[in-house]
Amino acid sequence: MTIDQHQIDSELQGTAALSKKRVRKPTFRTLLKNPFALFGIIFLTIVFTAGILAPWMAAYSPNATDLASTNAPPFSDGHLLGADASGRDILSRLIWGTQQTIIACVLVLGVSLLFGMTFGLLAGFYRGRLEAVANFVSDVTMSLPGILTIVAVFTITGPNIPLSMTVFGFMVAPSMYRLVRSVVVSVRSELYVDAAKVVGLSDTRIVGRHVLSAVRAPVIVQSAFVLATAVAIVGGVDLIGLGNPSQASWGRVLQDAFNNIYTNPASLIWPASLISLTILSFVLVGNALRDTLQASNRSAALKPARRKAMSRAAQDERVAGVNDLTPAQDIILSVRGLRIGYPSSAADVREVVHGVDLDVRRGEIHGLVGESGSGKSQIAFSTLGLLPREAVIIGGSVFFEGRDLLADPARMRKVRGSRIAYIPQEPMSNLDPSFTVGAQLIYGLREATGVSKKGARAQLTALLKRVGIEDPERVMRLYPHEISGGMAQRVLICGAVASGPELIVADEPTTALDVTVQAEVLELMRELSIERGLAMIIVTHNLGVVADLCHTVSVMNDGTIVESNDVDTLFASPENEYTRDLLTSSRSVELLEAIGDE
């Protein structure tokens, strides 16, 4: 069986096993597990239920007066929240006023979504003249002062809350439009959208299937803020006296309380608290729903109690074994029995690395090779403490200079960046575009060594020149987008070796580079290893890189190391069948490339 067929079979088996265990969680059930969202949902449910059932829930009509109850205190007979200066029941007026708030929220959100989201989708997807016209209308609308426009509407039409909230929906639609358009513009350039076009999907299906899934999370958050703003606006309109005085509303109750603040100050608490808590609830539910839709219900999440139990068991296993190891004099890193898993359900973990043992000697360049998904990057990241949050270390240890880093997180943090450095796979995405190259290098070096800013600059300038950058002072003043990918990788190599580490972990360090630049970077890494006595772990799937750079190599397959040996011996006479298939496939690819070049 060739390596390609083996990989396909492994992936199909893994997908089938995972699909049996993983069950997609209902969004609402996941949302209820968030205490902030639960509070918001309960509060909004109570408020909206009271508004809809106001004729049956309110003890009094909104304008019923009882002069004997004027300014009655809370919890007085027949008046749970007290009465206002006219003897009207405050709780009943708030319940009746909820209807007006509900109408305002529905109108503002509906109008803003209808115009903002619709034109945002169209303008972002089709661009061109439609986008130019939509941008112009959006800019003009946003330039209008919102509250003054609403006051003008009241001047013309009188106290008409539905009409004024419709106008306000138009006023906030541009913010929704801009948000949706910006997301759609970024999504439409993705390769999966191009692939959907190639297979013949219509624009409507592409937008509905691919674009909307990217838009919905930010739209939900924006909608929550729109609803919160609608509550504030409808309350503010009545508070300043522009509403209909014959209709009960939250703002009208708040205005009456302000007018009577010295006589009955307690009456101010209820409408102010109701408006504030409603606004807060919309924001909390919106943010929680956004988080739920983005990730949490798309992947299995291990229960915290189960995660703690597994972590405690792994720690107990280390304590029962050895926390410190006396390695051979030339061994700097020893991985023993490392097992890593990822949640497949709320109570179960799928193991992806199975009891791996690995030794790296001082000054040695050790290649870790295997197909995608074999677990090689998991081992590399475990030595740095950079595994994803959902990963669970089921067992095993990572000994650096004889001490277990997994059993001592404080030591892991201490050696990371100073004695164990990292060279990433994507050089451009690992440099912050907001800062110059020099600022990032200096900050990292000072954090790792405590050297002065002047000393760090001098040291880095010399080191940049050593890694092949001709004008290091100019490069240090540049931003990441102003340098090439090859230069960015040299910058990251400079940052990795500047602190004087003893071990460097490089994850596919040449994958994102051109072939000619790859050779230069590999030669640079070899020279730095010899000059500084650096040990290196090179994670790669490229056997050519291993043959050119490494002293020893470990071959991984399905989460285990199937063979480990020095490079010459392994390439000349591999013992494992998988290693032989891997070498055969690599040589076939090299032969095809050579024929293509001819």
Side-chain angles (χ1 to χ4, degrees):
M1 182 172 61
T2 67
I3 184 64
D4 293 333
Q5 185 61 44
H6 179 88
Q7 181 175 357
I8 291 171
D9 291 345
S10 298
E11 291 180 355
L12 287 175
Q13 292 171 5
T15 302
L18 189 59
S19 62
K20 292 178 182 178
K21 295 181 178 180
R22 182 170 298 179
V23 179
R24 182 172 172 176
K25 296 182 179 180
T27 301
F28 187 69
R29 185 182 302 173
T30 305
L31 192 64
L32 292 180
K33 294 181 180 180
N34 185 318
F36 297 106
L38 182 60
F39 165 79
I41 290 172
I42 293 175
F43 185 82
L44 292 175
T45 300
I46 294 173
V47 170
F48 277 67
T49 301
I52 295 171
L53 302 179
W56 298 274
M57 291 188 64
Y60 303 92
S61 64
N63 295 314
T65 61
D66 180 7
L67 297 180
S69 300
T70 300
N71 291 323
F75 309 108
S76 58
D77 291 339
H79 302 287
L80 183 62
L81 302 183
D84 61 13
S86 301
R88 295 172 296 188
D89 182 66
I90 293 177
L91 178 59
S92 297
R93 285 176 62 77
L94 289 174
I95 292 175
W96 283 100
T98 303
Q99 293 183 336
Q100 186 166 286
T101 302
I102 293 174
I103 293 172
C105 289
V106 171
L107 286 174
V108 172
L109 182 60
V111 171
S112 63
L113 285 176
L114 177 63
F115 290 93
M117 189 170 178
T118 301
F119 285 99
L121 287 169
L122 294 174
F125 193 79
Y126 292 106
R127 309 296 300 272
R129 185 174 298 177
L130 175 61
E131 183 183 26
V133 173
N135 285 343
F136 174 77
V137 174
S138 171
D139 293 341
V140 171
T141 304
M142 293 189 73
S143 67
L144 299 174
I147 192 65
L148 292 181
T149 304
I150 294 176
V151 171
V153 171
F154 270 96
T155 304
I156 298 172
T157 65
N160 189 330
I161 291 294
L163 179 59
S164 63
M165 291 300 103
T166 302
V167 172
F168 184 68
F170 280 107
M171 302 295 293
V172 299
S175 62
M176 186 73 72
Y177 161 79
R178 288 190 170 192
L179 174 67
V180 172
R181 186 193 65 84
S182 63
V183 175
V184 173
V185 167
S186 63
V187 170
R188 73 184 295 272
S189 60
E190 295 290 343
L191 294 178
Y192 62 81
V193 173
D194 293 336
K197 293 179 180 178
V198 170
V199 299
L201 291 183
S202 65
D203 291 347
T204 302
R205 292 188 65 186
I206 292 174
V207 171
R209 184 176 181 83
H210 298 290
V211 178
L212 279 178
S213 62
V215 166
R216 63 180 180 177
V219 165
I220 286 172
V221 176
Q222 183 69 11
S223 297
F225 281 101
V226 168
L227 289 171
T229 305
V231 173
I233 288 295
V234 72
V237 165
D238 280 312
L239 179 63
I240 61 177
L242 295 179
N244 189 342
S246 64
Q247 291 183 346
S249 69
W250 295 355
R252 177 63 58 182
V253 175
L254 186 61
Q255 184 197 41
D256 293 338
F258 266 117
N259 294 336
N260 200 32
I261 189 171
Y262 295 108
T263 305
N264 186 10
S267 63
L268 188 64
I269 297 174
W270 316 118
S273 299
L274 181 59
I275 293 173
S276 300
L277 289 175
T278 303
I279 292 173
L280 177 63
S281 297
F282 276 129
V283 174
L284 291 177
V285 173
N287 279 281
L289 185 56
R290 182 273 315 272
D291 295 339
T292 301
L293 290 176
Q294 274 187 329
S296 61
N297 68 326
R298 292 292 181 264
S299 59
L302 198 63
K303 290 182 178 179
R306 176 63 173 159
R307 177 180 292 275
K308 288 182 180 179
M310 297 188 72
S311 299
R312 191 182 304 113
Q315 183 67 14
D316 292 343
E317 179 184 324
R318 297 187 193 102
V319 173
V322 287
N323 285 331
D324 295 326
L325 178 73
T326 303
Q329 189 173 3
D330 61 339
I331 292 180
I332 189 171
L333 182 78
S334 292
V335 178
R336 289 290 177 268
L338 183 64
R339 297 166 58 211
I340 302 172
Y342 284 85
S344 58
S345 68
D348 199 8
V349 169
R350 181 174 63 95
E351 191 172 306
V352 297
V353 174
H354 315 288
V356 165
D357 293 334
L358 178 71
D359 288 329
V360 180
R361 293 171 172 79
R362 297 180 186 275
E364 175 187 74
I365 302 179
H366 194 116
L368 196 57
V369 66
E371 63 190 65
S372 298
S374 61
K376 54 188 185 296
S377 292
Q378 300 297 312
I379 295 177
F381 290 152
S382 66
T383 65
L384 295 160
L386 297 179
L387 287 171
R389 292 185 62 182
E390 61 269 20
V392 180
I393 296 181
I394 304 171
S397 300
V398 175
F399 295 99
F400 179 70
E401 295 183 329
R403 297 185 61 180
D404 188 1
L405 299 181
L406 298 183
D408 190 356
R411 178 168 174 77
M412 172 74 81
R413 290 190 296 269
K414 183 177 180 180
V415 302
R416 183 173 57 207
S418 57
R419 303 184 67 185
I420 303 179
Y422 173 57
I423 299 175
Q425 179 177 358
E426 295 286 346
M428 297 305 293
S429 61
N430 280 272
L431 290 171
D432 193 327
S434 302
F435 300 92
T436 62
V437 168
Q440 297 180 63
L441 289 177
I442 290 172
Y443 179 82
L445 181 56
R446 295 189 68 192
E447 183 70 18
T449 64
V451 68
S452 67
K453 186 175 182 179
K454 183 177 180 181
R457 179 175 290 276
Q459 182 178 342
L460 288 167
T461 301
L463 191 54
L464 282 172
K465 193 166 187 178
R466 168 62 191 86
V467 299
I469 295 178
E470 296 297 331
D471 191 354
E473 293 182 356
R474 183 184 69 86
V475 171
M476 290 185 73
R477 294 192 298 268
L478 298 178
Y479 285 88
H481 70 275
E482 298 177 299
I483 62 177
S484 65
M487 188 176 293
Q489 190 65 292
R490 292 175 186 271
V491 166
L492 291 175
I493 293 174
C494 169
V497 303
S499 60
E502 299 175 55
L503 173 67
I504 288 182
V505 178
D507 182 24
E508 303 278 8
T510 60
T511 298
L513 305 177
D514 295 335
V515 176
T516 54
V517 180
Q518 285 184 17
E520 295 173 359
V521 169
L522 292 176
E523 183 61 29
L524 172 62
M525 294 176 68
R526 188 198 333 271
E527 293 174 358
L528 289 172
S529 175
I530 296 172
E531 287 177 12
R532 296 172 174 255
L534 288 172
M536 293 186 182
I537 298 177
I538 306 295
V539 178
T540 183
H541 63 273
N542 189 333
L543 290 174
V545 170
V546 173
D548 182 48
L549 183 64
C550 299
H551 302 121
T552 57
V553 57
S554 296
V555 180
M556 287 202 69
N557 179 34
D558 195 21
T560 61
I561 292 181
V562 297
E563 186 168 358
S564 186
N565 214 328
D566 66 89
V567 170
D568 293 337
T569 302
L570 186 138
F571 274 68
S573 54
E575 298 178 358
N576 187 271
E577 180 183 356
Y578 175 79
T579 306
R580 290 193 291 270
D581 288 339
L582 195 64
L583 290 170
T584 301
S585 298
S586 178
R587 288 164 182 159
S588 299
V589 171
E590 291 175 359
L591 179 60
L592 289 173
E593 291 177 347
I595 294 174
D597 292 338
E598 292 178 0

